Amino acid sequence: SAVISQKPSRDICQRGTSLTIQCQVDSQVTMMFWYRQQPGQSLTLIATANQGSEATYESGFVIDKFPISRPNLTFSTLTVSNMSPEDSSIYLCSVCQGINTEAFFGQGTRLTVV
Amino acid sequence: AQSVTQPDIHITVSEGASLELRCNYSYGATPYLFWYVQSPGQGLQLLLKYFSGDTLVQGIKGFEAEFKRSQSSFNLRKPSVHWSDAAEYFCAVGKNQGGKLIFGQGTELSVKP
């Protein structure tokens, strides 16, 4: 399985600011995804990070709020823009090698917006 | 629409007792099914997966799960629970492919000494 590193592991941010979360994988992977886990809740898929093109967002998530980059097959970033307290969540990066393979997750970034 | 239901929000079992966590899914085709575990402050660790074939799958840490198509279920079992198994357990179904997942609400497992 791939080793996935997320930075930062946690942060406390002021409302109205933006935070960029990095996801680095130790090997090239086909697919990368970003999930959100709100307090006490399950995980919800935000978007698929596409290498060299715009991310594909799930219903309820928009690029202006969650811009995503994926410049190569081992790295992706998620930005949480113009943050409000409702954005306080754990954000997790996930990778998958193909259609018939399982997904692996990073340790997550715990974000608190004050 | 695809969905996953974990009917039990919280379960408490005694150490050494058997465990079964329930998972029901709604999916049009043959699903890809997963169980993940999340310990406090940690990411998700894959316990086991079902793609096809034998409906009883073995995973890590002594866990197993059985896919029952007729019941749209994928229940997780362990014959003897250890205190270190206390965590949040998530059932998930693959949305069209393995990587895009729909998660259940999770079941929090507490283990009594």
Side-chain angles (χ1 to χ4, degrees):
Chain A
S1 63
V3 176
I4 306 165
S5 302
Q6 273 188 243
K7 291 182 181 179
S9 59
R10 59 176 61 227
D11 207 342
I12 301 173
C13 300
Q14 297 291 321
R15 68 177 67 200
T17 63
S18 298
L19 176 71
T20 295
I21 302 168
Q22 298 180 358
C23 178
Q24 178 73 55
V25 192
D26 69 341
S27 59
Q28 294 185 344
V29 292
T30 306
M31 292 177 276
M32 295 182 78
F33 307 92
W34 288 98
Y35 287 81
R36 180 176 72 181
Q37 186 178 22
Q38 294 177 296
Q41 302 295 314
S42 186
L43 286 82
T44 302
L45 179 64
I46 297 172
T48 303
N50 300 310
Q51 193 255 331
S53 65
E54 192 171 285
T56 304
Y57 291 84
E58 299 297 309
S59 176
F61 297 96
V62 295
I63 187 171
D64 290 346
K65 178 66 176 177
F66 298 102
I68 289 171
S69 78
R70 190 180 174 192
N72 55 52
L73 294 177
T74 64
F75 185 77
S76 178
T77 66
L78 167 74
T79 299
V80 186
S81 303
N82 188 25
M83 289 183 286
S84 67
E86 291 71 35
D87 295 318
S88 298
S89 296
I90 300 173
Y91 292 87
L92 297 106
C93 172
S94 171
V95 304
C96 185
Q97 281 293 20
I99 292 178
N100 293 328
T101 62
E102 59 269 38
F104 296 98
F105 286 81
Q107 291 298 94
T109 297
R110 184 180 294 272
L111 170 63
T112 302
V113 184
V114 297
Chain B
Q2 300 138 348
S3 65
V4 179
T5 302
Q6 294 179 245
D8 304 307
I9 296 174
H10 189 199
I11 284 182
T12 300
V13 300
S14 297
E15 190 167 17
S18 63
L19 171 70
E20 182 169 27
L21 302 182
R22 295 183 291 166
C23 173
N24 293 97
Y25 66 89
S26 173
Y27 192 76
T30 300
Y32 297 159
L33 294 162
F34 308 86
W35 276 98
Y36 287 87
V37 61
Q38 185 178 39
S39 298
Q42 301 295 311
L44 270 70
Q45 182 181 23
L46 178 67
L47 286 176
L48 46 77
K49 63 182 185 287
Y50 173 78
F51 288 163
S52 64
D54 193 347
T55 57
L56 183 64
V57 294
Q58 302 297 321
I60 63 171
K61 303 184 178 185
F63 285 93
E64 66 177 27
E66 186 171 12
F67 169 59
K68 293 185 177 180
R69 185 188 301 276
S70 61
Q71 299 177 19
S72 297
S73 69
F74 189 58
N75 294 350
L76 182 71
R77 301 194 293 250
K78 185 170 185 178
S80 178
V81 170
H82 187 264
W83 64 266
S84 61
D85 293 324
E88 186 93 22
Y89 291 80
F90 291 96
C91 180
V93 62
K95 188 177 176 182
N96 300 322
Q97 59 194 39
K100 298 175 70 171
L101 301 175
I102 298 172
F103 284 86
Q105 285 301 102
T107 298
E108 183 181 357
L109 174 65
S110 298
V111 181
K112 293 189 300 185

Coordinates of all heavy atoms in Angstrom, one line a residue, chain A residues 18-77:
Chain A
S18 N -7.8 31.4 4.2 CA -7.8 30.2 3.5 C -6.6 29.3 4.0 O -5.6 29.8 4.5 CB -7.6 30.5 2.0 OG -8.6 31.3 1.5
L19 N -6.8 28.0 3.8 CA -5.8 27.1 4.2 C -5.6 26.1 3.1 O -6.5 25.6 2.5 CB -6.2 26.3 5.5 CG -5.2 25.2 5.9 CD1 -3.9 25.8 6.5 CD2 -5.9 24.3 6.9
T20 N -4.3 25.8 2.8 CA -4.0 24.8 1.7 C -3.4 23.6 2.4 O -2.5 23.7 3.2 CB -3.0 25.4 0.7 OG1 -3.6 26.5 0.0 CG2 -2.6 24.3 -0.3
I21 N -4.0 22.5 2.1 CA -3.6 21.2 2.6 C -2.9 20.4 1.6 O -3.3 20.3 0.4 CB -4.8 20.4 3.1 CG1 -5.6 21.2 4.2 CG2 -4.4 19.0 3.7 CD1 -7.0 20.6 4.5
Q22 N -1.7 19.8 1.9 CA -0.9 19.1 1.0 C -1.1 17.6 1.2 O -1.2 17.1 2.3 CB 0.5 19.5 1.1 CG 0.8 20.9 0.8 CD 2.3 21.2 0.9 OE1 3.1 20.4 1.3 NE2 2.6 22.5 0.7
C23 N -1.0 16.8 0.1 CA -1.1 15.4 0.2 C 0.0 14.8 -0.7 O 0.0 15.1 -1.9 CB -2.4 14.9 -0.3 SG -2.6 13.1 -0.3
Q24 N 1.0 14.1 -0.1 CA 2.1 13.6 -0.8 C 2.1 12.1 -0.7 O 2.0 11.5 0.4 CB 3.4 14.1 -0.2 CG 4.7 13.6 -0.9 CD 4.9 14.2 -2.3 OE1 5.0 15.4 -2.5 NE2 5.1 13.3 -3.3
V25 N 2.3 11.4 -1.8 CA 2.3 9.9 -1.9 C 3.7 9.5 -2.2 O 4.3 10.1 -3.1 CB 1.2 9.4 -2.9 CG1 1.1 7.9 -2.7 CG2 -0.1 10.1 -2.7
D26 N 4.1 8.3 -1.7 CA 5.4 7.9 -1.9 C 5.6 7.1 -3.2 O 6.7 6.7 -3.6 CB 5.9 7.0 -0.8 CG 5.2 5.7 -0.7 OD1 4.1 5.5 -1.3 OD2 5.7 4.8 0.0
S27 N 4.5 7.0 -4.0 CA 4.6 6.3 -5.3 C 3.5 6.9 -6.2 O 2.6 7.5 -5.7 CB 4.4 4.8 -5.1 OG 3.2 4.5 -4.6
Q28 N 3.7 6.7 -7.5 CA 2.7 7.2 -8.4 C 1.4 6.5 -8.3 O 1.4 5.3 -8.2 CB 3.2 7.1 -9.8 CG 4.4 8.0 -10.1 CD 4.8 8.0 -11.6 OE1 4.4 7.1 -12.3 NE2 5.6 8.9 -12.0
V29 N 0.3 7.2 -8.2 CA -1.0 6.6 -8.1 C -1.9 7.1 -9.2 O -1.8 8.3 -9.6 CB -1.6 6.9 -6.7 CG1 -0.9 6.2 -5.6 CG2 -1.7 8.4 -6.4
T30 N -2.9 6.3 -9.5 CA -3.8 6.7 -10.6 C -4.8 7.7 -10.2 O -5.0 8.7 -10.9 CB -4.5 5.4 -11.1 OG1 -3.6 4.4 -11.5 CG2 -5.4 5.8 -12.3
M31 N -5.4 7.5 -9.1 CA -6.5 8.4 -8.6 C -6.2 9.0 -7.2 O -5.7 8.3 -6.4 CB -7.8 7.6 -8.6 CG -8.3 7.2 -10.0 SD -9.8 6.2 -9.9 CE -9.1 4.6 -9.6
M32 N -6.6 10.2 -7.1 CA -6.5 10.9 -5.8 C -7.8 11.6 -5.5 O -8.4 12.1 -6.4 CB -5.3 11.9 -5.7 CG -4.0 11.3 -5.9 SD -2.6 12.5 -5.8 CE -2.6 12.8 -4.0
F33 N -8.2 11.5 -4.2 CA -9.5 12.0 -3.8 C -9.4 12.9 -2.5 O -8.4 12.6 -1.8 CB -10.5 10.9 -3.6 CG -10.7 9.9 -4.7 CD1 -9.9 8.8 -4.7 CD2 -11.6 10.1 -5.7 CE1 -10.0 7.9 -5.8 CE2 -11.7 9.2 -6.7 CZ -10.9 8.1 -6.8
W34 N -10.3 13.7 -2.3 CA -10.4 14.5 -1.1 C -11.7 14.3 -0.4 O -12.8 14.4 -1.1 CB -10.1 16.0 -1.3 CG -8.7 16.3 -1.7 CD1 -8.2 16.5 -2.9 CD2 -7.7 16.5 -0.7 NE1 -6.8 16.8 -2.8 CE2 -6.5 16.8 -1.5 CE3 -7.6 16.5 0.7 CZ2 -5.3 17.0 -0.9 CZ3 -6.3 16.7 1.3 CH2 -5.2 17.0 0.5
Y35 N -11.7 14.0 0.9 CA -12.9 13.8 1.6 C -13.0 14.8 2.8 O -12.0 15.3 3.3 CB -12.9 12.4 2.2 CG -13.2 11.2 1.2 CD1 -12.2 10.8 0.4 CD2 -14.4 10.7 1.1 CE1 -12.4 9.7 -0.5 CE2 -14.7 9.7 0.2 CZ -13.6 9.2 -0.6 OH -13.9 8.2 -1.5
R36 N -14.2 15.0 3.3 CA -14.4 15.8 4.5 C -15.1 15.0 5.5 O -16.1 14.2 5.2 CB -15.2 17.1 4.1 CG -15.5 18.0 5.3 CD -16.2 19.2 4.9 NE -17.6 18.9 4.6 CZ -18.5 19.8 4.2 NH1 -18.1 21.1 4.0 NH2 -19.7 19.5 3.9
Q37 N -14.7 15.1 6.7 CA -15.4 14.4 7.9 C -15.7 15.5 8.9 O -14.9 16.0 9.7 CB -14.5 13.4 8.5 CG -15.2 12.5 9.5 CD -14.3 11.4 10.1 OE1 -13.1 11.5 10.0 NE2 -15.0 10.4 10.7
Q38 N -17.0 15.9 8.9 CA -17.4 16.9 9.9 C -17.5 16.3 11.2 O -17.6 15.1 11.4 CB -18.7 17.5 9.4 CG -18.6 18.3 8.1 CD -19.9 18.8 7.6 OE1 -20.8 18.1 7.2 NE2 -20.0 20.2 7.5
P39 N -17.4 17.1 12.3 CA -17.4 16.6 13.7 C -18.5 15.6 13.9 O -19.7 15.8 13.7 CB -17.6 17.8 14.5 CG -17.0 18.9 13.7 CD -17.4 18.6 12.3
G40 N -18.1 14.4 14.4 CA -19.1 13.3 14.7 C -19.8 12.7 13.5 O -20.8 12.0 13.7
Q41 N -19.3 13.0 12.3 CA -20.0 12.6 11.1 C -19.2 11.6 10.3 O -18.0 11.3 10.7 CB -20.4 13.8 10.2 CG -21.2 14.8 10.9 CD -22.6 14.3 11.2 OE1 -23.2 13.7 10.4 NE2 -23.0 14.6 12.4
S42 N -19.8 11.1 9.3 CA -19.1 10.2 8.4 C -18.3 11.0 7.4 O -18.2 12.2 7.4 CB -20.1 9.3 7.7 OG -19.4 8.3 6.9
L43 N -17.7 10.3 6.4 CA -16.9 10.9 5.4 C -17.7 11.2 4.2 O -18.5 10.4 3.8 CB -15.7 10.0 5.0 CG -14.6 9.9 6.0 CD1 -14.9 8.9 7.1 CD2 -13.3 9.5 5.3
T44 N -17.5 12.4 3.6 CA -18.1 12.7 2.3 C -17.1 13.1 1.3 O -16.2 13.9 1.6 CB -19.1 13.9 2.6 OG1 -20.0 13.6 3.6 CG2 -19.8 14.3 1.3
L45 N -17.3 12.6 0.1 CA -16.3 12.9 -1.0 C -16.5 14.3 -1.4 O -17.6 14.7 -1.8 CB -16.6 11.9 -2.1 CG -15.7 12.0 -3.3 CD1 -14.2 11.8 -3.0 CD2 -16.1 11.1 -4.4
I46 N -15.4 15.0 -1.5 CA -15.5 16.4 -2.0 C -15.2 16.4 -3.5 O -16.0 17.0 -4.3 CB -14.4 17.3 -1.3 CG1 -14.6 17.4 0.2 CG2 -14.3 18.7 -2.0 CD1 -13.5 18.1 0.9
A47 N -14.1 15.8 -3.9 CA -13.8 15.8 -5.3 C -12.7 14.8 -5.7 O -12.0 14.3 -4.8 CB -13.3 17.2 -5.7
T48 N -12.6 14.5 -7.0 CA -11.5 13.7 -7.5 C -10.5 14.7 -8.1 O -10.8 15.6 -8.9 CB -12.1 12.8 -8.6 OG1 -13.1 12.0 -8.1 CG2 -10.9 12.0 -9.2
A49 N -9.3 14.5 -7.7 CA -8.2 15.4 -8.1 C -7.6 14.7 -9.4 O -7.1 13.6 -9.4 CB -7.1 15.5 -7.1
N50 N -7.8 15.4 -10.5 CA -7.3 14.9 -11.8 C -6.0 15.5 -12.2 O -5.8 16.7 -12.1 CB -8.4 15.3 -12.9 CG -9.7 14.7 -12.6 OD1 -9.8 13.5 -12.3 ND2 -10.7 15.5 -12.6
Q51 N -5.1 14.7 -12.6 CA -3.7 15.1 -12.9 C -3.7 15.9 -14.2 O -4.2 15.4 -15.2 CB -2.8 13.9 -13.0 CG -1.3 14.3 -13.0 CD -0.7 14.2 -14.4 OE1 -1.1 13.4 -15.2 NE2 0.3 15.0 -14.7
G52 N -3.3 17.1 -14.1 CA -3.2 18.0 -15.3 C -4.5 18.6 -15.8 O -4.5 19.3 -16.8
S53 N -5.6 18.4 -15.0 CA -6.8 19.1 -15.4 C -7.6 19.4 -14.2 O -7.3 19.1 -13.1 CB -7.6 18.1 -16.4 OG -8.0 17.0 -15.7
E54 N -8.8 20.1 -14.4 CA -9.6 20.5 -13.3 C -10.2 19.3 -12.6 O -10.5 18.3 -13.1 CB -10.7 21.4 -13.9 CG -11.5 22.2 -12.8 CD -12.4 23.2 -13.5 OE1 -12.0 24.2 -14.0 OE2 -13.7 22.9 -13.5
A55 N -10.3 19.5 -11.3 CA -10.9 18.5 -10.4 C -12.3 18.3 -10.7 O -13.0 19.2 -11.3 CB -10.7 18.8 -9.0
T56 N -12.8 17.1 -10.4 CA -14.2 16.8 -10.6 C -14.9 16.8 -9.2 O -14.6 16.0 -8.3 CB -14.4 15.4 -11.2 OG1 -13.7 15.3 -12.4 CG2 -15.9 15.1 -11.5
Y57 N -15.9 17.7 -9.1 CA -16.5 17.9 -7.8 C -17.8 17.2 -7.6 O -18.6 17.1 -8.6 CB -16.7 19.4 -7.6 CG -15.4 20.2 -7.4 CD1 -14.7 20.6 -8.5 CD2 -14.9 20.5 -6.1 CE1 -13.5 21.3 -8.3 CE2 -13.7 21.1 -5.9 CZ -13.0 21.5 -7.0 OH -11.8 22.2 -6.8
E58 N -18.0 16.8 -6.4 CA -19.3 16.1 -6.1 C -20.4 17.2 -5.8 O -20.1 18.3 -5.6 CB -19.1 15.2 -4.9 CG -18.1 14.1 -5.1 CD -18.5 13.1 -6.2 OE1 -19.7 12.6 -6.1 OE2 -17.7 12.8 -7.1
S59 N -21.6 16.7 -5.8 CA -22.7 17.6 -5.6 C -22.6 18.3 -4.3 O -22.3 17.6 -3.3 CB -24.0 16.8 -5.7 OG -25.1 17.7 -5.4
G60 N -22.7 19.6 -4.2 CA -22.6 20.4 -3.0 C -21.3 21.0 -2.7 O -21.1 21.7 -1.8
F61 N -20.3 20.7 -3.6 CA -19.0 21.2 -3.4 C -18.6 22.0 -4.7 O -18.9 21.5 -5.8 CB -18.0 20.1 -3.2 CG -18.2 19.4 -1.9 CD1 -18.9 18.2 -1.8 CD2 -17.7 19.9 -0.7 CE1 -19.1 17.5 -0.7 CE2 -17.9 19.2 0.5 CZ -18.7 18.0 0.5
V62 N -18.0 23.1 -4.6 CA -17.7 23.9 -5.7 C -16.2 24.4 -5.7 O -15.6 24.5 -4.6 CB -18.5 25.2 -5.8 CG1 -20.0 24.8 -6.0 CG2 -18.4 26.1 -4.5
I63 N -15.7 24.6 -6.9 CA -14.3 24.9 -7.1 C -13.9 26.2 -6.4 O -12.8 26.3 -5.8 CB -13.9 25.0 -8.6 CG1 -12.4 25.1 -8.8 CG2 -14.7 26.1 -9.3 CD1 -12.0 25.0 -10.2
D64 N -14.8 27.2 -6.3 CA -14.4 28.4 -5.7 C -14.1 28.3 -4.2 O -13.3 29.0 -3.6 CB -15.5 29.5 -5.9 CG -15.6 30.0 -7.3 OD1 -14.6 29.7 -8.1 OD2 -16.6 30.6 -7.7
K65 N -14.8 27.4 -3.6 CA -14.7 27.1 -2.1 C -13.5 26.1 -1.9 O -12.8 26.3 -0.9 CB -16.0 26.6 -1.6 CG -16.0 26.2 -0.1 CD -15.8 27.4 0.8 CE -15.9 27.1 2.2 NZ -15.6 28.3 3.1
F66 N -13.4 25.1 -2.7 CA -12.4 24.1 -2.5 C -11.5 23.9 -3.8 O -11.6 22.8 -4.4 CB -13.1 22.8 -2.1 CG -13.9 22.8 -0.9 CD1 -15.3 22.9 -0.9 CD2 -13.3 22.7 0.4 CE1 -16.0 22.9 0.2 CE2 -14.0 22.7 1.5 CZ -15.4 22.8 1.5
P67 N -10.7 24.8 -4.1 CA -9.9 24.6 -5.3 C -8.8 23.5 -5.0 O -8.3 23.4 -3.9 CB -9.2 26.0 -5.4 CG -9.4 26.7 -4.2 CD -10.6 26.2 -3.5
I68 N -8.6 22.7 -6.0 CA -7.8 21.5 -5.9 C -6.8 21.5 -7.0 O -7.1 21.9 -8.2 CB -8.6 20.2 -6.0 CG1 -9.4 20.0 -4.7 CG2 -7.7 19.0 -6.2 CD1 -10.5 18.9 -4.8
S69 N -5.5 21.2 -6.7 CA -4.5 21.0 -7.7 C -4.0 19.6 -7.7 O -4.0 19.0 -6.6 CB -3.4 22.1 -7.6 OG -2.5 21.7 -6.5
R70 N -3.5 19.2 -8.8 CA -2.8 17.9 -8.9 C -1.8 18.0 -10.0 O -2.1 17.6 -11.1 CB -3.7 16.7 -9.1 CG -3.0 15.4 -8.9 CD -3.8 14.2 -9.1 NE -3.0 13.0 -9.0 CZ -3.4 11.8 -9.4 NH1 -4.6 11.6 -9.8 NH2 -2.5 10.8 -9.3
P71 N -0.6 18.5 -9.7 CA 0.4 18.7 -10.8 C 1.0 17.5 -11.3 O 1.6 17.5 -12.4 CB 1.4 19.7 -10.1 CG 1.3 19.4 -8.6 CD -0.2 19.0 -8.4
N72 N 1.1 16.4 -10.5 CA 1.7 15.2 -11.0 C 1.0 14.0 -10.3 O 0.0 14.1 -9.6 CB 3.2 15.2 -10.6 CG 3.5 15.4 -9.2 OD1 2.9 14.8 -8.3 ND2 4.3 16.4 -8.9
L73 N 1.6 12.8 -10.5 CA 0.9 11.6 -10.0 C 1.2 11.2 -8.5 O 0.7 10.2 -8.0 CB 1.3 10.4 -10.9 CG 0.9 10.4 -12.3 CD1 1.4 9.3 -13.1 CD2 -0.6 10.5 -12.4
T74 N 1.9 12.1 -7.8 CA 2.2 11.8 -6.4 C 1.8 13.0 -5.5 O 2.0 12.9 -4.3 CB 3.7 11.6 -6.2 OG1 4.4 12.8 -6.5 CG2 4.2 10.4 -7.1
F75 N 1.2 14.0 -6.0 CA 1.0 15.2 -5.1 C -0.3 15.9 -5.5 O -0.7 16.0 -6.7 CB 2.1 16.2 -5.3 CG 2.1 17.4 -4.4 CD1 2.5 17.3 -3.1 CD2 1.7 18.6 -4.9 CE1 2.4 18.4 -2.2 CE2 1.7 19.7 -4.0 CZ 2.0 19.6 -2.7
S76 N -1.0 16.4 -4.4 CA -2.2 17.1 -4.6 C -2.4 18.1 -3.5 O -1.9 17.9 -2.4 CB -3.5 16.2 -4.7 OG -4.7 16.9 -4.8
T77 N -3.1 19.2 -3.7 CA -3.4 20.1 -2.7 C -4.9 20.4 -2.7 O -5.6 20.4 -3.8 CB -2.7 21.5 -2.8 OG1 -3.1 22.1 -4.0 CG2 -1.2 21.2 -2.8

